[in-house]
Amino acid sequence: MLNHMDENELNQNQLNITLKHEEQEAEGISIPVTGIFRCLKRFAIGWIVVAILTALLVAAGTATFSQQLSSAPVSLIEFNYSGAEKGLTPDGKKLDVNSIKNPTVVEMALTKMGYPLEYVESVRSAITIDGIVPEAAVDEISVYKASYEKSGGLPAAQAMLEVEYFPTQYRVTFNFANTPFGDDEAAKVINTVLECYRIYFFETYGSNNAIGNASLALDYNDYDYLVAVDTYSETLRTLQNKLTSMSHADKSQFRSTQTGFSFDDLKDSVETALAYDADTLTAYILSNSVVRDKEGMISYYEYRIEELERTKTSAVSQLNTIEESIEKYEKNAVVMFGGSEEDAASYTKASSKYDQLFIQKNEAQEQVSRYSQMIAECEAHLESVKKLGSRTTDADKVAYVEERLVQLGEKVDQLVEDVNATVMEYNESVEFANAYTVLVPASVLSTSYVSMLLQNIMKPLLLVEAIVLLGYIGISVVKAFVIAYGQKKEETEASAKA
């Protein structure tokens, strides 16, 4: 009986201990939600004050230390000359639009504005140039896209990806944030760069087709008279070919204000000098045997003929290559012709390339014809020199030839000067007047200052305000736990005393 009572009492004690232990665990994981909300409400005013002060400080700091408070100035430029739509320069090479920001142009602009040249690299790196897709290419892509959406065929998709185009308009952006310039200076800098590029463009392409003065600084101890006349004749033929290309219907009406000549006037003068002065003097030299070294002249013309034959062979090979390419494109055009819009676009594309090849063919044929003419003239001179008698000793004839050579040289010099001056004036005032144009100058919009400032502020402001908010919540939670812990401790002590 006694043992049975002791066992029951022991079980009750163990049960009480277990129940108290569970009560302590339950009390240990309780979260004072009500207390947290009270603390959030208690510290709300302080949080709002701190948030406002932080926003003001961030805004002031951003406005003080931010270099760029406006949008990057953007300009629109256009190239408009024969070959620009094919991605070529006026001299037929590949157009590199990044030449707009080459060091020469940027240095020219900075010097003009009075800035140190140490800014060159920062300005160059801040300029970005993006091409605008031409409308013709957009239309062609639209044709293929419509065909692809209709049929879902892979050939249409492939053709759409292979559309070839070259922009003639470009968007030039000056991201000046990392440059030494502020908002007001940025637009002036990029506009000056674009203006200086106009000068660079004309100096590079507007004068590259000027004809050099190939007249001899004659020394009759080094050159034979016939060689001198041949050299003058070659210069006159070069002028003649240049003027022939310039005297088309659209250019024939041009008259230089500097020289007073049109291209037709100059062409007539060159042809007269070639037929009367040069050819007449050549005939006089041959008919009167006014030569210094007959054997030397024979060797000269034999070597000259060999050189021209080699050059002609190369020109003929190039002509044959172009003709083969034309034949291939003609076959492709027949195969690609059809009734659908896609086939029509392909046929148009092939026709454009065919036209380009046909122009190249005409130029190659002209080269071959020119070399053939030069070879024929050298062969005629060679035969004439071989038939010459002994060297003339007539001083009057020698003096006459030398006098006529001086006159021919002066005339060639003057013609070269007049042709170059007229061509340069035409290029500057007509041919390249609109070859490079700034369609829309860069500018800084005053309305963009506020938006740009807000854009610069937003990221740091959101970051700082998030930190302030987390601090506010963290402090409220900690304070609520501290208060709850204090209250619980007081209740425990009070119950213990009771």
Side-chain angles (χ1 to χ4, degrees):
M1 200 58 192
L2 182 59
N3 292 336
H4 181 70
M5 291 177 61
D6 290 342
E7 185 177 350
N8 290 336
E9 184 178 355
L10 181 59
N11 290 336
Q12 289 179 359
N13 290 337
Q14 289 178 349
L15 180 60
N16 288 336
I17 292 173
T18 302
L19 290 174
K20 288 181 180 180
H21 179 67
E22 290 178 353
E23 183 180 356
Q24 288 178 354
E25 285 185 353
E27 292 176 356
I29 61 174
S30 63
I31 298 176
V33 177
T34 304
I36 291 175
F37 279 108
R38 288 174 183 169
C39 289
L40 287 172
K41 184 177 180 180
R42 177 182 175 185
F43 298 132
I45 296 177
W47 166 61
I48 293 173
V49 172
V50 173
I52 293 174
L53 290 176
T54 302
L56 293 175
L57 290 174
V58 171
T62 303
T64 302
F65 297 104
S66 179
Q67 179 73 17
Q68 182 174 342
L69 296 180
S70 65
S71 59
V74 179
S75 180
L76 184 65
I77 63 172
E78 181 181 36
F79 293 96
N80 183 21
Y81 55 85
S82 178
E85 71 284 356
K86 303 172 186 175
L88 302 176
T89 59
D91 59 357
K93 299 179 181 178
K94 183 179 179 181
L95 174 64
D96 181 12
V97 72
N98 286 313
S99 60
I100 290 175
K101 57 180 181 178
N102 72 64
T104 302
V105 174
V106 177
E107 287 177 7
M108 191 188 309
L110 292 177
T111 301
K112 184 176 181 179
M113 299 185 71
Y115 292 122
L117 296 182
E118 63 187 35
Y119 295 166
V120 169
E121 289 304 319
S122 62
V123 172
R124 293 185 66 228
S125 61
I127 298 174
T128 57
I129 306 171
D130 302 305
I132 299 175
V133 181
E135 292 184 4
V138 174
D139 294 340
E140 187 175 356
I141 293 173
S142 299
V143 171
Y144 291 128
K145 183 179 179 181
S147 177
Y148 174 74
E149 291 176 348
K150 182 178 180 180
S151 62
L154 184 60
Q158 186 67 27
M160 185 166 54
L161 295 174
E162 292 178 354
V163 171
E164 185 181 37
Y165 66 87
F166 297 96
T168 56
Q169 294 184 350
Y170 294 85
R171 186 182 297 103
V172 182
T173 306
F174 188 49
N175 300 296
F176 63 94
N178 295 323
T179 68
F181 307 109
D183 302 275
D184 295 332
E185 300 170 302
K188 296 179 182 178
V189 170
I190 188 60
N191 283 331
T192 305
V193 170
L194 296 178
E195 290 173 6
C196 290
Y197 182 71
R198 183 192 304 277
I199 300 173
Y200 173 85
F201 184 88
F202 181 76
E203 289 179 348
T204 303
Y205 304 113
S207 59
N208 66 345
N209 50 7
I211 300 168
N213 192 340
S215 60
L216 296 172
L218 288 176
D219 185 349
Y220 301 121
N221 294 320
D222 297 331
Y223 297 96
D224 213 312
Y225 304 119
L226 197 56
V227 175
V229 177
D230 285 347
T231 303
Y232 287 134
S233 297
E234 183 62 26
T235 302
L236 289 171
R237 290 191 185 91
T238 303
L239 292 173
Q240 185 182 35
N241 292 332
K242 179 64 181 178
L243 292 169
T244 299
S245 66
M246 297 294 291
S247 58
H248 295 304
D250 59 336
K251 302 177 182 178
S252 60
Q253 302 301 320
F254 175 79
R255 184 173 295 276
S256 170
T257 58
Q258 181 178 347
T259 65
F261 296 125
S262 67
F263 292 122
D264 287 335
D265 295 337
L266 291 169
K267 184 180 178 183
D268 292 339
S269 298
V270 169
E271 290 175 348
T272 300
L274 186 60
Y276 176 74
D277 296 285
D279 290 349
T280 301
L281 185 54
T282 297
Y284 183 87
I285 291 172
L286 292 173
S287 62
N288 292 278
S289 300
V290 186
V291 293
R292 300 178 60 86
D293 182 4
K294 175 181 176 180
E295 297 302 323
M297 291 296 296
I298 292 174
S299 299
Y300 166 76
Y301 280 114
E302 288 176 344
Y303 174 77
R304 178 70 172 156
I305 291 171
E306 291 177 358
E307 285 292 310
L308 290 173
E309 288 285 2
R310 282 193 288 269
T311 308
K312 178 184 175 181
T313 300
S314 176
V316 169
S317 176
Q318 183 178 4
L319 175 60
N320 293 336
T321 301
I322 295 173
E323 289 178 341
E324 290 176 2
S325 298
I326 290 175
E327 291 179 2
K328 292 180 180 178
Y329 272 108
E330 287 176 341
K331 292 178 181 179
N332 290 341
V334 173
V335 172
M336 295 169 70
F337 182 76
S340 68
E341 291 181 340
E342 181 180 343
D343 291 335
S346 300
Y347 181 74
T348 302
K349 191 173 181 180
S351 299
S352 176
K353 292 185 178 180
Y354 175 82
D355 292 340
Q356 297 175 25
L357 286 171
F358 198 79
I359 293 173
Q360 294 175 7
K361 176 185 175 181
N362 290 337
E363 294 175 349
Q365 285 176 332
E366 291 176 0
Q367 286 288 338
V368 172
S369 299
R370 183 181 180 188
Y371 289 130
S372 298
Q373 179 184 0
M374 294 172 67
I375 290 171
E377 291 178 354
C378 287
E379 289 176 342
H381 287 177
L382 176 60
E383 293 302 318
S384 298
V385 171
K386 288 180 178 180
K387 296 176 183 179
L388 291 178
S390 59
R391 171 189 169 188
T392 182
T393 56
D394 191 330
D396 291 338
K397 292 181 179 179
V398 172
Y400 174 79
V401 170
E402 292 182 354
E403 181 182 356
R404 291 290 301 274
L405 274 173
V406 171
Q407 294 174 358
L408 179 59
E410 291 175 352
K411 184 170 291 188
V412 170
D413 288 345
Q414 187 61 49
L415 285 170
V416 168
E417 183 178 342
D418 290 341
V419 170
N420 283 336
T422 304
V423 170
M424 286 286 290
E425 185 177 341
Y426 175 82
N427 286 340
E428 185 173 4
S429 60
V430 180
E431 184 74 12
F432 290 94
N434 298 315
Y436 164 78
T437 308
V438 179
L439 299 177
V440 181
S443 62
V444 175
L445 300 177
S446 58
T447 56
S448 65
Y449 276 83
V450 175
S451 61
M452 182 60 69
L453 180 59
L454 291 176
Q455 182 178 345
N456 291 345
I457 288 174
M458 287 309 296
K459 288 184 179 180
L461 181 61
L462 290 175
L463 178 62
V464 174
E465 290 297 341
I467 295 174
V468 172
L469 178 62
L470 290 176
Y472 160 63
I473 295 174
I475 292 174
S476 299
V477 171
V478 172
K479 185 64 176 178
F481 272 101
V482 170
I483 292 174
Y485 176 77
Q487 291 176 348
K488 188 173 293 293
K489 185 177 181 181
E490 290 177 358
E491 291 175 359
T492 302
E493 291 177 351
S495 61
K497 291 178 180 179

